[in-house]
């Protein structure tokens, strides 16, 4: 039987929610359960060995507001032994100096709490200046830009999910 994956997301204008649904559907077979971060308990993370964390960047380099509200709770959650993949949504033309920063902020915190990052993604095909989500020349996870590159969203999700199936050892 395949492992269960918990996908925890925040969204303000709905884009990250639809990306989360597309990722769930691409995995297929009820493997992925969606959790909206505004209504989760800390214990909800415990049952999953494989996690996907999805957050848009808002207000010039900041977390989406529900993730902002949950951020200090992460200090009390043990992510050791868990594989954690990240998804960001952002706007590279509007915010080229803070593109995808939220993904970097969350990955740093969750890694400190023991999570092992999987699902790194190339920066080729994007045009921006700076991002907290880039480490060693790669994004820490899947970068989706619905504002400027919505035509690439589907193929990016397909390719990343196929990569993750291997990295999650499904
Ligand atoms: C006021 C405002 C500030 C934003 N700041 C950033 C930013 O700093 N970096 C970034 O990559 N995107 C930024 N964005 C773009 C959003 O992250 C993007 O539209 C995202 O897909 C929204 O996701 P949601 O619909 O799930 O809330 C900003 C958008 C707005 C309207």
């Amino acid at each position: 039987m395949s492992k269960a994956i918990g996908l925890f997301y925040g969204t303000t204008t709905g884009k990250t929610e639809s990306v989360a649904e597309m990722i769930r559907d691409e995995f297929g077979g009820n493997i992925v359960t969606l959790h909206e971060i505004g209504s989760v308990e800390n214990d909800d993370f415990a049952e999953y060995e494989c996690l996907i964390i999805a957050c848009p960047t808002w207000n010039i380099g900041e977390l989406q507001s529900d993730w902002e509200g949950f951020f200090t709770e992460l200090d009390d959650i043990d992510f050791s032994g868990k594989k954690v993949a990240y998804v960001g949504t952002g706007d590279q033309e509007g915010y080229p100096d803070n593109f995808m920063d939220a993904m970097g902020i969350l990955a740093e915190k969750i890694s400190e709490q023991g999570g092992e990052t999987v699902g790194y993604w190339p920066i080729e095909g994007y045009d921006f200046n700076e991002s907290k989500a880039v480490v060693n020349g790669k994004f820490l996870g899947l970068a989706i830009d619905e504002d400027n590159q919505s035509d690439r969203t589907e193929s990016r999700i397909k390719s990343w999910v196929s990569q993750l199936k291997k990295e999650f050892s499904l």
Side-chain angles (χ1 to χ4, degrees):
M1 204 186 102
S2 294
K3 293 174 193 165
I5 300 168
L7 193 166
F8 292 77
Y9 72 94
T11 191
T12 298
T13 58
K15 290 174 185 150
T16 310
E17 181 169 52
S18 44
V19 166
E21 288 167 354
M22 287 171 78
I23 290 169
R24 176 196 61 196
D25 294 348
E26 185 60 29
F27 271 97
N30 297 326
I31 297 171
V32 176
T33 303
L34 300 187
H35 296 269
E36 202 270 299
I37 196 66
S39 51
V40 307
E41 306 287 335
N42 294 10
D43 288 349
D44 292 343
F45 291 87
E47 65 183 279
Y48 302 105
E49 201 179 307
C50 299
L51 295 167
I52 300 174
I53 300 293
C55 182
T57 303
W58 274 94
N59 303 320
I60 313 184
E62 295 188 7
L63 298 177
Q64 185 270 344
S65 60
D66 298 297
W67 269 114
E68 191 71 57
F70 195 80
F71 192 67
T72 55
E73 299 294 327
L74 292 171
D75 287 327
D76 299 325
I77 299 173
D78 181 11
F79 287 92
S80 54
K82 297 185 190 298
K83 292 183 177 178
V84 187
Y86 298 89
V87 183
T89 68
D91 172 356
Q92 61 199 291
E93 282 186 21
Y95 305 91
D97 297 326
N98 300 87
F99 185 49
M100 298 283 150
D101 277 359
M103 177 157 59
I105 295 166
L106 287 172
E108 183 179 24
K109 169 65 77 183
I110 290 170
S111 299
E112 281 169 13
Q113 296 299 111
E116 178 198 348
T117 303
V118 298
Y120 287 86
W121 185 250
I123 57 169
E124 283 75 32
Y126 303 85
D127 188 8
F128 62 97
N129 300 328
E130 288 207 43
S131 174
K132 286 186 178 146
V134 175
V135 172
N136 296 330
K138 284 197 152 194
F139 284 116
L140 289 157
L142 178 65
I144 295 290
D145 185 341
E146 282 286 275
D147 294 86
N148 307 292
Q149 297 180 329
S150 58
D151 54 326
R152 302 202 202 178
T153 295
E154 197 180 329
S155 65
R156 282 172 170 162
I157 287 174
K158 272 186 190 300
S159 164
W160 188 69
V161 166
S162 129
Q163 174 187 332
L164 265 192
K165 282 180 177 170
K166 295 182 202 124
E167 295 185 29
F168 277 155
S169 312
L170 294 181

